């Protein structure tokens, strides 16, 4: 498996001559924030191969993601034996999606490798310590607008996620 | 702990309750549904709708994967329940709704699949992708999944 990178991201090379048994590849793939009405307020991705990922494709994917979350919400409400409207995470054979929905309807979504531990605390931190402090309390930021331009928020979030222990580390045995 | 193979006695602890099982055909239709515990009863139409919704969700989660080659949802955890899904190589999905503290249900799902092959597929009167109405299948699953054991915790 080889991973690609751009100048900004970490570069990792798989050396076949080391005959290393790789146990688990920690990865954070991407992070979304959706507003209550479905606008994607924030999106960053890492460790994803770049072929075919035009801005339009990414936008379509964001819409699909919101649609999925919306449908999942309805499904969970109906399926749950006790009243419940939201989920903590779901896992597939290749990735894990961590989810947090705030009381105001904001949706925080984080995709990691499938063996990552729960990231609920990280999502809560992203909401409380970054969104509330650097976006909500920012007098120049208007609610509902994309957060990429909100420099204080943007740089801190990228820093937080890229320096997280779960970000891109091959555990080699 | 919990021996989950049909026919053997099981000791089930209080936290290992399975609420319900849904079986979805390759085309997304609900072919089997059973509740194993006291949960609010849904109408049949609602259950069919849930089954189809899950079929769609499963496909989308596979498409939305940041890496290629992902399956659909295998595990979904919420505060009130846990959903485990197993998709067979032939495209049938078995999914279980259980208590959130339930340990991994993968083995249970495999046992259910085994029951399916033994009591449904080998039933000469059963047509593929049709709703399952095989009494032995019900009986075996009841043994496997029912949470009212005659014995201890």
């Amino acid at each position: 498996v080889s991973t690609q990178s751009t100048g900004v991201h970490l570069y990792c090379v798989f050396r076949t001559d080391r005959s290393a048994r790789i146990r688990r590849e920690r990865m954070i793939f991407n992070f979304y924030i959706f507003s209550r009405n479905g606008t994607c307020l924030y999106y960053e991705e890492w460790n994803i191969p770049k072929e075919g990922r035009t801005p339009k494709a990414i936008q379509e994917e964001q819409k699909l993601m919101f649609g999925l979350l919306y449908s999942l919400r309805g499904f969970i409400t109906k399926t749950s034996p006790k009243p419940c409207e939201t989920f903590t995470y779901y896992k597939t054979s290749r990735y894990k999606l961590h989810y947090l929905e705030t009381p105001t309807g904001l949706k925080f979504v984080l995709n990691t490798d499938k063996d990552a531990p729960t990231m609920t605390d990280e999502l809560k931190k992203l909401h409380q310590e970054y969104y509330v402090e650097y976006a909500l309390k920012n007098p120049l930021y208007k609610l509902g607008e994309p957060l990429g331009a909100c420099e204080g928020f943007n740089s801190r979030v990228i820093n937080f996620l890229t320096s997280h222990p779960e970000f891109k580390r091959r555990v080699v045995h | 702990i919990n021996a989950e193979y049909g026919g053997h006695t099981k000791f089930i602890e209080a936290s290992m309750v399975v609420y319900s099982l849904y079986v979805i055909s390759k085309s997304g239709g609900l072919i089997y549904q059973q509740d194993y515990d006291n949960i609010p009863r849904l109408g049949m139409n609602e259950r069919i709708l849930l089954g189809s919704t899950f079929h769609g969700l499963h496909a989308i989660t596979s498409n939305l994967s940041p890496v290629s080659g992902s399956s659909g949802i295998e595990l979904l955890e919420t505060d009130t329940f846990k959903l485990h899904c197993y998709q067979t190589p032939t495209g049938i999905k078995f999914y279980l709704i259980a208590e959130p503290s339930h340990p991994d249900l993968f083995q249970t799902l495999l046992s259910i699949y085994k029951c399916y092959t033994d009591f449904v597929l080998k039933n000469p009167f059963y047509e593929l992708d049709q709703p399952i109405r095989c009494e032995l299948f019900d009986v075996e699953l009841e043994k496997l999944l029912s949470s009212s054991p005659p014995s201890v915790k």
Side-chain angles (χ1 to χ4, degrees), chain A:
Chain A
V1 175
S2 69
T3 54
Q4 295 169 252
S5 64
T6 64
V8 178
H9 307 308
L10 294 174
Y11 191 70
C12 193
V13 175
F14 185 120
R15 290 189 205 275
T16 51
D17 56 12
R18 274 165 91 195
S19 57
R21 262 178 57 234
I22 303 226
R23 277 301 174 79
R24 183 194 148 208
E25 231 172 83
R26 295 169 197 234
M27 288 294 196
I28 293 183
F29 292 114
N30 43 20
F31 175 57
Y32 304 71
I33 301 182
F34 290 99
S35 72
R36 200 191 188 103
N37 63 7
T39 326
C40 187
L41 298 177
Y42 189 77
Y43 177 71
E44 272 297 330
E45 65 176 41
W46 305 273
N47 307 322
I48 297 183
K50 288 280 184 264
E51 313 95 50
R53 290 186 76 74
T54 63
K56 186 145 205 299
I58 294 183
Q59 242 189 351
E60 289 300 315
E61 198 178 78
Q62 287 165 359
K63 289 188 200 155
L64 191 59
M65 175 61 80
F66 185 79
L68 171 75
L69 296 173
Y70 187 83
S71 308
L72 254 181
R73 189 173 217 266
F75 175 78
I76 287 167
T77 310
K78 276 270 157 75
T79 309
S80 175
K82 304 183 191 87
C84 177
E85 282 180 344
T86 185
F87 67 103
T88 320
Y89 71 85
Y90 74 70
K91 184 161 117 149
T92 74
S93 64
R94 298 297 303 278
Y95 74 99
K96 199 174 200 179
L97 185 143
H98 307 260
Y99 181 70
L100 176 73
E101 189 164 329
T102 72
T104 50
L106 280 178
K107 301 174 175 31
F108 286 66
V109 179
L110 191 69
N111 281 335
T112 63
D113 69 289
K114 71 177 181 68
D115 296 314
T118 38
M119 301 285 259
T120 310
D121 291 334
E122 280 78 359
L123 286 173
K124 285 192 181 146
K125 183 171 175 171
L126 281 161
H127 173 56
Q128 297 286 26
E129 288 181 32
Y130 295 116
Y131 178 76
V132 169
E133 293 299 315
Y134 296 103
L136 213 49
K137 292 184 179 175
N138 183 343
L140 297 172
Y141 171 69
K142 204 161 143 222
L143 275 183
E145 278 189 358
L147 283 160
C150 194
E151 193 43 50
F153 178 79
N154 195 24
S155 56
R156 282 178 175 84
V157 166
I158 292 182
N159 198 43
F160 173 64
L161 287 174
T162 50
S163 54
H164 194 276
E166 290 302 318
F167 184 87
K168 189 97 183 206
R169 223 191 342 150
R170 283 195 150 91
V171 178
V172 176
H173 291 257

Side-chain angles (χ1 to χ4, degrees), chain B:
Chain B
I1 289 260
N2 187 17
E4 285 168 317
Y5 298 96
H8 296 220
T9 35
K10 320 180 300 293
F11 299 117
I12 300 193
E13 298 182 3
S15 67
M16 292 169 79
V17 175
V18 169
Y19 293 125
S20 36
L21 166 71
Y22 287 70
V23 183
I24 316 282
S25 72
K26 200 161 49 165
S27 49
L30 184 70
I31 55 176
Y32 188 79
Q33 200 282 321
Q34 195 67 250
D35 292 329
Y36 296 98
D37 197 63
N38 291 325
I39 62 168
R41 300 272 152 188
L42 298 169
M44 198 58 205
N45 283 337
E46 280 186 312
R47 297 177 201 202
I48 295 178
L49 193 60
L50 281 181
S52 310
T53 310
F54 186 75
H55 176 78
L57 294 174
H58 193 268
I60 297 178
T61 50
S62 172
N63 281 341
L64 269 178
S65 171
V67 285
S68 62
S70 174
S71 70
I73 294 183
E74 289 182 347
L75 177 61
L76 172 77
E77 188 166 318
T78 77
D79 289 334
T80 54
F81 71 92
K82 218 174 189 174
L83 183 153
H84 294 250
C85 177
Y86 172 62
Q87 180 168 40
T88 71
T90 48
I92 313 259
K93 285 183 268 298
F94 293 86
Y95 77 85
L96 284 169
I97 313 287
E99 280 212 339
S101 49
H102 207 300
D104 186 39
L105 277 166
F106 186 62
Q107 290 306 316
T108 317
L109 284 166
L110 287 182
S111 309
I112 295 174
Y113 185 34
K114 184 168 188 306
C115 286
Y116 171 77
T117 53
D118 285 339
F119 300 105
V120 178
L121 293 182
K122 293 179 188 173
N123 182 331
F125 299 110
Y126 176 70
E127 272 179 66
L128 271 183
D129 286 346
Q130 290 303 309
I132 297 175
R133 292 201 176 92
C134 307
E135 199 185 319
L136 281 178
F137 186 59
D138 294 333
V139 167
E140 284 306 310
L141 286 186
E142 183 72 29
K143 275 194 234 165
L144 196 58
L145 296 173
S146 168
S147 60
S148 44
S151 48
V152 212
K153 302 217 187 324

